[in-house]
Amino acid sequence: MELKDKMVLVTGSTDGVGRVVAERLGAAGARVLVHGRDKGRGKDVVAAIGAKGGKAEFLVADLASLAEVRRLAEAVRAKTDRLDILINNAGVGTGGQVAKRQVSADGYELRFAVNYLAGFLLTSELLPLLKASAPARIVNVASAGQQAIDFDDVMLTHGYSGVRAYCQSKLAQILFTIDLAEQLKGTGVTVNALHPASYMDTTMVRQAGVTPWSSVETGAEAILNLAASPALEGRSGLYFDGQRESRADAQAYDEKARRRLRPLSLELIGQSSKTSREQHS
C-alpha cells in the first residue's frame, strides 16, 4: 500500500513501539492521527513528525473509559471523512507478578477493557470510514502471550493475576480479528493481528520487571508490514509472529468461542447484535 496521503490512526502512539510506528508513517507521507492520554507527549510526537516534513495531529483519550473511546471516534470523524489504516496498538501490560486487579471506568477488568474492549468498540465506530476508504486495513497489536478466555469468569474475579489478565485480553483481540475478517469479506477492508516482538524496550515491559531484549524498531517493522506490505493485499483474519505468519492459541480458531465473545462484547459496550449487524452490512 502506498502510504503517501493515507489517513492513519495509531492508538497508543505517544510512547514505545506506537510512537516509532507513527513517526515512520509520517516520514512515509501518511497523515497520522496520534493518540494517547498525555497531551504533552502527544504534542512532542506531532512536533517530531512535523520536523521531518510529515503531517500529524494529536487526539487525547483514555481508553479505560468507553465514553472516551466513543469521543475519540467522534474526534476522528470530525477530522476526516476517510480512514485508510487503523492500528489498535494501545494497551496495558501485565504489571508484573505483583499486579493487583483493577477496573476500568465502566467497572470492567482493566486489561480486558483497554487491551481488547476499547479496540473492539473503536473499530466498530470507525468501520464506516474504513469501508469508505477501501481498500483499507486494520491492524490489531496483540501478543504471543495468550490464554484461553474463561467465559465463566471473563472479568477474573477469582484467581487474578496481571499476566493471566493480559494474556486473556490479547487472545480476545485475536478472536475478534478472525471474527471480524469473516464479517468484512467483500468490503475491501482487511484485519490482521500480530505479536510484534518479544519484550521490546518499552515502558510496559520495564514496568513488568522484565529486562527488554527486542528493539521497538523491530516491533515497528512488523506492525508496518501488516499495515502497508503489498504482500498482505486482500489477506485477512491472520495472526503473525513478527513478520512471519503463525498460529495463535487454539481457542482463536474455535468458532463456538468466537460466537460467545461477540455478543458478550456487544453487551459490554452497550450495543445489541442487531445494531452490530447493521453496522457491518
Side-chain angles (χ1 to χ4, degrees):
M1 178 187 283
E2 169 60 49
L3 288 170
K4 185 170 174 54
D5 295 326
K6 291 292 191 286
M7 181 64 78
V8 188
L9 170 61
V10 187
T11 68
S13 48
T14 59
D15 191 21
V17 70
R19 176 168 183 157
V20 176
V21 168
E23 290 184 357
R24 290 202 182 177
L25 286 166
R31 298 173 59 202
V32 186
L33 295 175
V34 174
H35 158 264
R37 291 181 298 168
D38 187 290
K39 290 182 180 178
R41 290 198 307 189
K43 289 178 180 177
D44 286 346
V45 179
V46 169
I49 292 171
K52 294 181 179 178
K55 298 175 183 176
E57 293 183 73
F58 176 63
L59 301 175
V60 65
D62 183 348
L63 301 190
S65 162
L66 293 177
E68 290 210 26
V69 175
R70 288 188 170 93
R71 281 198 292 272
L72 174 60
E74 287 174 9
V76 172
R77 290 190 291 263
K79 295 282 185 190
T80 178
D81 59 359
R82 63 179 296 115
L83 185 63
D84 300 282
I85 304 170
L86 168 61
I87 301 176
N88 288 310
N89 167 72
V92 179
T94 65
Q97 297 302 315
V98 296
K100 290 183 168 58
R101 186 178 181 276
Q102 300 167 274
V103 295
S104 70
D106 305 278
Y108 304 142
E109 191 280 313
L110 185 66
R111 286 161 178 82
F112 190 83
V114 176
N115 296 353
Y116 164 62
L117 207 56
F120 176 86
L121 174 57
L122 183 63
T123 302
S124 175
E125 290 277 327
L126 294 177
L127 271 179
L129 284 185
L130 289 156
K131 288 178 180 177
S133 312
R137 298 188 188 188
I138 302 164
V139 178
N140 290 325
V141 181
S143 173
Q146 301 161 22
Q147 182 161 325
I149 300 164
D150 180 355
F151 284 102
D152 294 323
D153 186 20
V154 174
M155 298 303 162
L156 302 181
T157 56
H158 304 287
Y160 183 86
S161 82
V163 172
R164 182 184 174 205
Y166 176 83
C167 292
Q168 176 180 260
S169 69
K170 289 299 181 179
L171 184 57
Q173 277 187 299
I174 300 169
L175 267 74
F176 168 52
T177 298
I178 296 171
D179 192 52
L180 184 60
E182 284 292 318
Q183 297 174 50
L184 291 176
K185 279 183 176 176
T187 65
V189 181
T190 61
V191 52
N192 293 299
L194 82 158
H195 165 66
S198 295
Y199 298 118
M200 291 179 289
D201 189 7
T202 63
T203 303
M204 181 188 293
V205 169
R206 291 190 295 274
Q207 285 178 343
V210 177
T211 301
W213 51 274
S214 290
S215 70
V216 286
E217 287 76 18
T218 299
E221 287 290 346
I223 293 169
L224 290 166
N225 177 57
L226 290 195
S229 171
L232 272 295
E233 183 106 17
R235 304 194 70 207
S236 195
L238 306 175
Y239 169 72
F240 280 70
D241 185 344
Q243 297 190 46
R244 179 176 57 86
E245 189 176 339
S246 188
R247 294 283 288 181
D249 180 272
Q251 193 184 53
Y253 308 101
D254 180 348
E255 189 177 347
K256 289 181 180 177
R258 298 199 303 272
R259 282 206 308 260
R260 291 185 75 179
L261 181 62
R262 189 190 320 155
L264 170 65
S265 304
L266 290 168
E267 179 185 343
L268 292 173
I269 66 170
Q271 288 185 8
S272 67
S273 296
K274 179 177 181 293
T275 302
S276 177
R277 284 196 299 272
E278 290 170 350
Q279 287 182 334
H280 291 294
S281 62

